Each structure stands twice: as C-alpha cells, then as structure tokens.
Amino acid sequence: MTRFSAWNVFWNGVTGQKGWSRQWRDPEPKPRYDVVIIGGGLHGLATAYYLAKNHGIRNIAVLEKGWIGGGNAGRNTTIVRSNYTQPGNREFYENSLNLWEELSHELNYNVMFSQRSHITLLHSPGAVDATARNYNTMRLTGNADVEIWSLEQLQEAVPHLNYGADARFPIMGAAVHKRAGTARHDAVIWGYARAADQLGVDIIQNCEVTAILRDGDKVTAIETSRGKITTDKVGLAVAGNSSRLWNMAGMRHLPIESHKLQAFVSEPLKPLLDQVVVFGMGGAHFYISQSDKGGMVFGGDLDWYKSYAQKGNLPIVQDVAEAAMSVMPCLGRVRLLRHWSGVVDMSMDGSHFICKTPVDNLYLNAGWNYGGFKATPASGTYFADLIANDRPDKVIANHDLKRFERGLQLDERGAGPDPKLHG
Amino acid sequence: MIRIPCPFCGTRDHSEFAYGGDGAIIYPDLDAPMQDWHDAVFQRENICGRQVETWQHVNGCRMWLLVERDTMTHEIYSVRPAHPDMAQALEVTA
Ligand SMILES: Cc1cc2nc3c(=O)[nH]c(=O)nc-3n(C[C@H](O)[C@H](O)[C@H](O)COP(=O)(O)OP(=O)(O)OC[C@H]3O[C@@H](n4cnc5c(N)ncnc54)[C@H](O)[C@@H]3O)c2cc1C
Ligand SMILES: [Zn+2]
C-alpha cells in the first residue's frame, strides 16, 4: 500500500494518479480469530487498530453488517471537544483530544482535524455563573484552554450571530474551548481502517452478526451472515444496537435506551463561520459549524422518543430551523442539501461504558449518547487495553456497568436517570 | 409524524405528547431491596420492536397513557390510560 506523503502526492499528480493502491483488503472471513470486534464504526475500527499496534495482537476481525462508517460514524456532526467536568470523563476526553492532535500523523491519513474552537453562547447571568464554575473546575484539573468571553470579544470573533436587541434570547457572552474543533468523519473511518488493515486486521463488511454462542460464562463462537467464526475474545462496539447484541449474548438489561438524532447540511457557502457555535436555552438546542466544503452542518435535539429507525421526524426539523433563525438569521434563505438521522445509545447518566461484562471473554463499548465521535481515539485505546489485558485502566475504572450500584452517576448535565435528557 | 389515538381526545400528532419511557417497569415497594430499585431505575430492556411505553398528552388532556408501539416501524397497536382504574372505567363505559 502506498504511503501518503508530499512526494507521493506530487509524483502521482504528474503521472496521472496511477501509483495508488487499494486502501484496505476485502478478505473472506477466516474460521477463527484471536479477537473479534463487532461493529465497523469508529470505535470498532480504532479498537482493532490499537489492539494490533499497542498490544501486538494481529489475528483480529472487525465484523460490520453493512459498510464501515454506514452507522453513526458517517452520520455525526464531527464536533471534538474535551470540556467535561466529571472525574474520569475529564481525563478520558482530555487524553482523547491529545490523541486527536496527532491523529493525522499517527494514521498517515489527513483527518482534517481543525481546532477552530467550540463556543457556547450564554444568555443569562445564571448561565455565566454556572459556566464559570464548570470551566474553573476544568482549568484546575488540567484542561487549561477554556475561558469565558465578553459580548465584545464574541462579536469580534463571530460577527454573524443575532446580536440584535430584539433577539428572543439576547447573547451575554460565551464559553470558549479553544482546542476544540471538527474533523472529517469519513477520513477518520478510512484512516483507521487503512492503518488497521496494514497491521493485518481483517475488515469484513456485509457481515451481520446473527447469534453469539456461549458455553456457560464464555463466548465460544459467533454466527454471521457469512458463516460461523470461533474466537477467544469478543468486543461489542455497535453503538445504537448495543441492546440487541446484548440480547444475542443471552443477557437482558442494559442502562441504555436507543434514540435517534438528526443532523442537517446546507448547500456550500463561502466562508461564514470559523468556529463551532452552540446554543442551548430552556427547551431549545442548536449547534452549527461550517465544513471545509462550505456546507453549514447543524443539528439540535433528539427526536424525544425511543427509536431504532434511522429516520428522523418532522417536529425536530421545525425546532432546529427555528433555533437556526433565532441564532443566525442570515441562514434564512440558505437551502438545505441533506438531512439524516442516526440511532444512538443514550445511557442513564449520559456517560459511556468501556467495561467487562458478566460473560468472561465478552467486552462492552457502548453508551456514547451523541458524543462518541470525539471519543474515538481514546475509546479505541482504552478498549483495546481492556481486551488485551483483561482489566480496566484506572481512567476508565468508573466507566463500567456497575457504577449505578455503587451510587455513582457520571452525569455531566445533572439531568438524572432519563436517557433522553442527556446529550 | 406519529399519530397517537388518545382515548380522551381522539387521534393527535405526537408533537402534542411528551414521551415518558419504558412502560413495562413496575416500581418496587419503598422498602424493597436496593437491587430492585437499582434495576427499576437504571436497567432497560430497550426492545427493538413492540414495546409498551408511557406518553403524556401534555398539550391535550394531560393524561398519562400506556402506548404499545413498534420502536422500529413506529406503528401503534394500542393506547390506554396509564392509571389502571381509569382504564377500567373507560372499559365499563365503552
Ligand atoms: C446526527 C448525529 C450527530 C452526532 N454528532 C456528534 C458530534 O458532533 N460529536 C461527537 O463527538 N459525537 C457525535 N455523535 C455521536 C457519534 O457519532 C457516535 O457516538 C459514534 O459514532 C458511535 O460510535 P461508532 O462510530 O463506533 O458507531 P457506528 O458507526 O454506529 O458503528 C456501529 C456499527 O455496528 C454495526 N452493527 C450493528 N449491529 C451489527 C451486527 N449485528 N453485526 C455487525 N455489525 C453490526 C453498524 O452497522 C455500525 O456500522 C453524533 C451522532 C449522530 C447520530
Ligand atoms: Zn388526550
């Protein structure tokens, strides 16, 4: 496989782009693997990559029922940030952001990570105080690039918001996380796939897992649409479908509900917005950024009712359009290009699970709510470490299924045990 | 739009309703063991397919309802008041 380099790009430019090879193989599934990862999204592919790279395990398969990146990996709005306050979460996301900063080099693939900053609009003195408390917590615990901006600072940096006196929620200032930004989701998927494949990982698409066979407390084999596969260890990384795979493994309950989240992209525009802007006020929620192609990428709340269908409903389209108009009225005549939805596993406290399960050789990676894109490099690193060494790193010690039994909830929002309220 | 036939108000758009959650959960007695409470509050079957769930008709009669719905196709099979006595009263008058 050809490595990407300035020289190769130049050379192929002058020789008709004939020197490139396939990015990853399309192997037939083997009858046995040391580790099988179910789910070819970001977390599954990243896990396979770090298992091979950090732990020297090479006989690995990633099984994907459709095509890699066809799930939430290819449906998200690509925001990467680390402004979390709960112990465990803040170390996890800070480590993840550090890995993002090196990811293009690590994978020899340009993931177009752009640290354009993440700006949360503040509309009341109460919101300013609450943010000051949270951001001070972050600054004291190692995430030093968060700050609060006055209205003047904000106006200068982001001129096209609704600063009018007649705004429904006048803006008072903003919470700013400067190292945050966006990346190109497809590139992250392909970059991990290519790098994992190069280390010998078999990426098997169109391979749906239909049954997980057990002998007592051990998984022995996996039935798939492309035959039976035996394996020593199994990692689940199926995002919104976690409960269905959990059932296949013979277990019934998880602290998770599957909901759907919609997102939108407009026709391409000239440069208009150079940051990620987030608006949240009472019942309304809206976030927006501009892709490198120029499309305005935005979204809002969940559809509010549980759903396994990758298809959104109209009331949210209306809510998001209303919020867009109240925050950036200049978008009023911009045409929508596409609009889609993904099934996300909303957890009881809004935080994820990377943990062992009641089945000895079955490991769980789930509960990413709608924040799992940013988690990708850390999720893969810690999940691979868990699978290889059969014990959690101390950073993810509380990201287990038993935390609620211990009276612990990693609830960033303080929303309580209702999955649809976390985001 | 999902259309929900409210037993009190007739068929209405789902945007008039607020989603509650899993309607099959039976909350234990106040002095029940901690594990029972843990399971009721935190554990979900998260069914893909036909499930019973709670919805409140907030912009209508404000009644809590038990709705039997397919979480994949969104087809609704039945709607009844969540309060058992109310459900029974409706059956008697029907
Ligand atoms: C609209 C939207 C916007 C979002 N925005 C952001 C954001 O801005 N920032 C952020 O950090 N996060 C965001 N997220 C969340 C993020 O996309 C997810 O948390 C993350 O992608 C989940 O991990 P994944 O990539 O591994 O999941 P997926 O890509 O969904 O991977 C799971 C894979 O498992 C496969 N699978 C399922 N069942 C089986 C089976 N039986 N056999 C084989 N394979 C199976 C699926 O086909 C799928 O490809 C957003 C999500 C959505 C839906
Ligand atoms: Zn009603």
Side-chain angles (χ1 to χ4, degrees), chain A residues 139-158:
Chain A
R139 290 178 74 102
L140 288 170
T141 53
N143 181 353
D145 71 307
V146 293
E147 56 190 45
I148 293 182
W149 280 2
S150 67
L151 185 57
E152 293 68 38
Q153 271 172 295
L154 178 67
Q155 250 169 318
E156 197 180 318
V158 196

Tab-separated table of all heavy atoms in Angstrom, chain A residues 139-158:
chain	number	residue	atom	x	y	z
A	139	ARG	N	-10.179	24.064	34.439
A	139	ARG	CA	-8.852	24.694	34.468
A	139	ARG	C	-8.027	24.163	35.631
A	139	ARG	O	-6.820	23.979	35.524
A	139	ARG	CB	-8.990	26.217	34.576
A	139	ARG	CG	-9.538	26.843	33.304
A	139	ARG	CD	-9.699	28.338	33.456
A	139	ARG	NE	-8.415	29.006	33.428
A	139	ARG	CZ	-7.920	29.653	32.382
A	139	ARG	NH1	-8.632	29.732	31.280
A	139	ARG	NH2	-6.749	30.230	32.425
A	140	LEU	N	-8.705	23.908	36.766
A	140	LEU	CA	-7.987	23.410	37.938
A	140	LEU	C	-7.577	21.955	37.785
A	140	LEU	O	-6.706	21.468	38.489
A	140	LEU	CB	-8.872	23.548	39.186
A	140	LEU	CG	-9.068	24.975	39.694
A	140	LEU	CD1	-10.138	25.012	40.773
A	140	LEU	CD2	-7.752	25.526	40.236
A	141	THR	N	-8.236	21.256	36.868
A	141	THR	CA	-7.952	19.820	36.748
A	141	THR	C	-7.244	19.493	35.444
A	141	THR	O	-7.267	18.362	34.984
A	141	THR	CB	-9.242	18.991	36.857
A	141	THR	OG1	-10.179	19.491	35.908
A	141	THR	CG2	-9.829	19.051	38.238
A	142	GLY	N	-6.650	20.481	34.812
A	142	GLY	CA	-5.742	20.136	33.732
A	142	GLY	C	-6.154	20.524	32.324
A	142	GLY	O	-5.404	20.331	31.385
A	143	ASN	N	-7.351	21.066	32.143
A	143	ASN	CA	-7.758	21.464	30.799
A	143	ASN	C	-7.737	22.990	30.741
A	143	ASN	O	-8.709	23.659	31.053
A	143	ASN	CB	-9.159	20.923	30.514
A	143	ASN	CG	-9.637	21.291	29.118
A	143	ASN	OD1	-8.987	22.045	28.418
A	143	ASN	ND2	-10.767	20.765	28.733
A	144	ALA	N	-6.589	23.551	30.362
A	144	ALA	CA	-6.359	24.978	30.580
A	144	ALA	C	-6.838	25.877	29.457
A	144	ALA	O	-6.709	27.089	29.525
A	144	ALA	CB	-4.882	25.222	30.835
A	145	ASP	N	-7.415	25.317	28.403
A	145	ASP	CA	-7.726	26.189	27.270
A	145	ASP	C	-9.182	26.614	27.228
A	145	ASP	O	-9.688	26.984	26.184
A	145	ASP	CB	-7.351	25.492	25.962
A	145	ASP	CG	-8.291	24.355	25.653
A	145	ASP	OD1	-8.463	23.493	26.535
A	145	ASP	OD2	-8.875	24.342	24.577
A	146	VAL	N	-9.878	26.554	28.352
A	146	VAL	CA	-11.270	27.007	28.357
A	146	VAL	C	-11.352	28.384	28.998
A	146	VAL	O	-10.642	28.674	29.956
A	146	VAL	CB	-12.191	26.014	29.104
A	146	VAL	CG1	-12.288	24.706	28.331
A	146	VAL	CG2	-11.714	25.738	30.528
A	147	GLU	N	-12.189	29.229	28.449
A	147	GLU	CA	-12.307	30.583	29.001
A	147	GLU	C	-13.681	31.171	28.714
A	147	GLU	O	-14.433	30.645	27.885
A	147	GLU	CB	-11.203	31.477	28.429
A	147	GLU	CG	-11.173	31.528	26.917
A	147	GLU	CD	-9.914	32.221	26.375
A	147	GLU	OE1	-8.805	31.925	26.871
A	147	GLU	OE2	-10.053	33.046	25.462
A	148	ILE	N	-13.977	32.266	29.394
A	148	ILE	CA	-15.262	32.929	29.174
A	148	ILE	C	-15.018	34.252	28.468
A	148	ILE	O	-14.113	35.003	28.840
A	148	ILE	CB	-15.999	33.119	30.514
A	148	ILE	CG1	-16.387	31.729	31.037
A	148	ILE	CG2	-17.243	33.993	30.337
A	148	ILE	CD1	-17.156	31.737	32.306
A	149	TRP	N	-15.789	34.491	27.419
A	149	TRP	CA	-15.642	35.703	26.635
A	149	TRP	C	-16.766	36.688	26.935
A	149	TRP	O	-17.920	36.294	27.135
A	149	TRP	CB	-15.701	35.386	25.130
A	149	TRP	CG	-14.437	34.851	24.554
A	149	TRP	CD1	-13.272	34.580	25.197
A	149	TRP	CD2	-14.236	34.501	23.167
A	149	TRP	NE1	-12.342	34.087	24.307
A	149	TRP	CE2	-12.909	34.028	23.065
A	149	TRP	CE3	-15.033	34.549	22.024
A	149	TRP	CZ2	-12.362	33.596	21.855
A	149	TRP	CZ3	-14.503	34.114	20.832
A	149	TRP	CH2	-13.173	33.648	20.745
A	150	SER	N	-16.420	37.971	26.887
A	150	SER	CA	-17.436	39.008	26.991
A	150	SER	C	-18.163	39.106	25.654
A	150	SER	O	-17.730	38.553	24.640
A	150	SER	CB	-16.764	40.347	27.294
A	150	SER	OG	-15.992	40.726	26.152
A	151	LEU	N	-19.235	39.855	25.655
A	151	LEU	CA	-20.003	40.047	24.432
A	151	LEU	C	-19.145	40.701	23.339
A	151	LEU	O	-19.210	40.310	22.174
A	151	LEU	CB	-21.223	40.925	24.740
A	151	LEU	CG	-22.209	41.147	23.601
A	151	LEU	CD1	-22.724	39.819	23.070
A	151	LEU	CD2	-23.376	42.011	24.065
A	152	GLU	N	-18.312	41.660	23.745
A	152	GLU	CA	-17.478	42.364	22.761
A	152	GLU	C	-16.491	41.406	22.088
A	152	GLU	O	-16.331	41.413	20.877
A	152	GLU	CB	-16.691	43.517	23.418
A	152	GLU	CG	-17.544	44.674	23.921
A	152	GLU	CD	-18.427	44.303	25.112
A	152	GLU	OE1	-17.968	43.531	25.992
A	152	GLU	OE2	-19.587	44.751	25.153
A	153	GLN	N	-15.853	40.576	22.918
A	153	GLN	CA	-14.909	39.597	22.357
A	153	GLN	C	-15.615	38.671	21.375
A	153	GLN	O	-15.104	38.356	20.305
A	153	GLN	CB	-14.335	38.720	23.482
A	153	GLN	CG	-13.096	39.252	24.146
A	153	GLN	CD	-12.762	38.376	25.349
A	153	GLN	OE1	-13.519	38.311	26.312
A	153	GLN	NE2	-11.626	37.704	25.292
A	154	LEU	N	-16.798	38.244	21.761
A	154	LEU	CA	-17.548	37.308	20.926
A	154	LEU	C	-17.930	37.962	19.606
A	154	LEU	O	-17.748	37.388	18.526
A	154	LEU	CB	-18.802	36.846	21.680
A	154	LEU	CG	-19.724	35.902	20.909
A	154	LEU	CD1	-19.030	34.561	20.672
A	154	LEU	CD2	-21.023	35.676	21.682
A	155	GLN	N	-18.431	39.179	19.699
A	155	GLN	CA	-18.880	39.896	18.496
A	155	GLN	C	-17.759	40.070	17.485
A	155	GLN	O	-17.956	39.986	16.293
A	155	GLN	CB	-19.424	41.267	18.878
A	155	GLN	CG	-20.920	41.339	18.709
A	155	GLN	CD	-21.508	42.585	19.316
A	155	GLN	OE1	-21.120	42.994	20.413
A	155	GLN	NE2	-22.450	43.189	18.622
A	156	GLU	N	-16.579	40.289	18.029
A	156	GLU	CA	-15.448	40.474	17.136
A	156	GLU	C	-15.067	39.171	16.431
A	156	GLU	O	-14.798	39.146	15.236
A	156	GLU	CB	-14.264	40.997	17.948
A	156	GLU	CG	-13.193	41.593	17.061
A	156	GLU	CD	-12.035	42.115	17.892
A	156	GLU	OE1	-12.293	42.747	18.945
A	156	GLU	OE2	-10.889	41.846	17.502
A	157	ALA	N	-15.106	38.076	17.195
A	157	ALA	CA	-14.682	36.794	16.622
A	157	ALA	C	-15.753	36.158	15.749
A	157	ALA	O	-15.455	35.505	14.752
A	157	ALA	CB	-14.286	35.827	17.745
A	158	VAL	N	-17.009	36.305	16.125
A	158	VAL	CA	-18.114	35.660	15.392
A	158	VAL	C	-19.138	36.727	15.033
A	158	VAL	O	-20.126	36.935	15.738
A	158	VAL	CB	-18.787	34.553	16.243
A	158	VAL	CG1	-19.649	33.648	15.365
A	158	VAL	CG2	-17.760	33.726	16.999
